[in-house]
Amino acid sequence: MIPANTTGPGGVIVRYGDENAAHVLSVYADLRCPYCKRMELDLGAVMERAADEGRFAVDHHFGTFLDASAGGSGSLEALAALGAAADVGSRPFMHYLRALYADQPSEDEDSFADRNNLLRLADEIEALHSGDFQQNVLEGKYLPWAAQVSLAFENSGVRSTPTVLFDRTPVAVINAMGYAVTPEAFLAEVTPA
């Protein structure tokens, strides 16, 4: 099963924004990555707003390599739950993505592997109160899709997260001190010449 609101071969990319956007911001992340959390919590709403304004579409690519390096299955389980959110709609997907990062466990904890915890984190998103979303998370409906998304990430050549490309050109989202760049600095990098 491939969730709605996805694109690319096998639906391995979750797009937010205009399907025919002139510019694309490609975001490569792992849901257990602490630097991805910093990027998302400081710049995620900025990316969403810019996509809403038609400046670019945001293509989300997810890896699950932290499951292997830190142990567990939380990246894959959280990605499958995100697939269930994408199936509801692109805005619920974005809000759930932010909710997951806001409550991200430390790398040595695997609380994203708990499907009931994943549902609890969706509580604040009204669009995800449906029985279908809950059933899809509890049954792991999108785990095979999540595995395909992860495989596509592995084959992408990207080796670290977060990696962000604007029309295939790298964009700095984390500064030398390990924190997200300012929204102003980010927007300056993604403004077409």
Side-chain angles (χ1 to χ4, degrees):
M1 286 298 292
I2 298 171
N5 302 300
T6 59
T7 187
V12 295
I13 300 166
V14 183
R15 172 162 283 191
Y16 181 81
D18 183 356
E19 194 62 42
N20 301 307
H23 302 282
V24 176
L25 187 76
S26 299
V27 179
Y28 293 81
D30 186 312
L31 293 163
R32 291 175 70 184
C33 164
Y35 293 101
C36 297
K37 172 183 179 173
R38 292 175 183 179
M39 173 196 69
E40 179 60 36
L41 295 184
D42 287 350
L43 298 174
V46 176
M47 294 176 188
E48 182 178 352
R49 192 165 42 254
D52 288 343
E53 293 167 357
R55 293 173 70 157
F56 49 72
V58 183
D59 280 0
H60 292 90
H61 305 258
F62 293 99
T64 61
F65 59 87
L66 278 165
D67 284 351
S69 61
S73 60
S75 289
L76 189 69
E77 289 282 353
L79 178 52
L82 259 181
D87 202 52
V88 174
S90 56
R91 194 166 301 278
F93 161 83
M94 291 294 280
H95 294 172
Y96 189 46
L97 176 64
R98 203 152 307 129
L100 288 170
Y101 278 124
D103 211 83
Q104 183 191 69
S106 63
E107 284 179 273
D108 58 348
E109 288 180 39
D110 197 27
S111 63
F112 280 174
D114 179 348
R115 294 176 186 172
N116 286 309
N117 183 46
L118 294 171
L119 287 177
R120 179 186 62 78
L121 297 175
D123 279 349
E124 63 192 62
I125 302 152
E126 193 171 328
L128 300 182
H129 289 179
S130 75
D132 283 350
F133 169 77
Q134 294 170 1
Q135 183 176 354
N136 290 343
V137 172
L138 288 174
E139 292 178 358
K141 178 178 180 178
Y142 292 113
L143 280 170
W145 170 81
Q148 290 303 307
V149 171
S150 180
L151 183 61
F153 181 101
E154 286 175 33
N155 293 331
S156 71
V158 171
R159 294 290 166 251
S160 63
T161 57
T163 292
V164 177
L165 308 174
F166 180 68
D167 292 340
R168 299 195 178 115
T169 299
V171 173
V173 290
I174 299 293
N175 65 23
M177 294 177 291
Y179 292 94
V181 300
T182 65
E184 295 77 17
F186 167 73
L187 288 171
E189 286 191 88
V190 297
T191 300

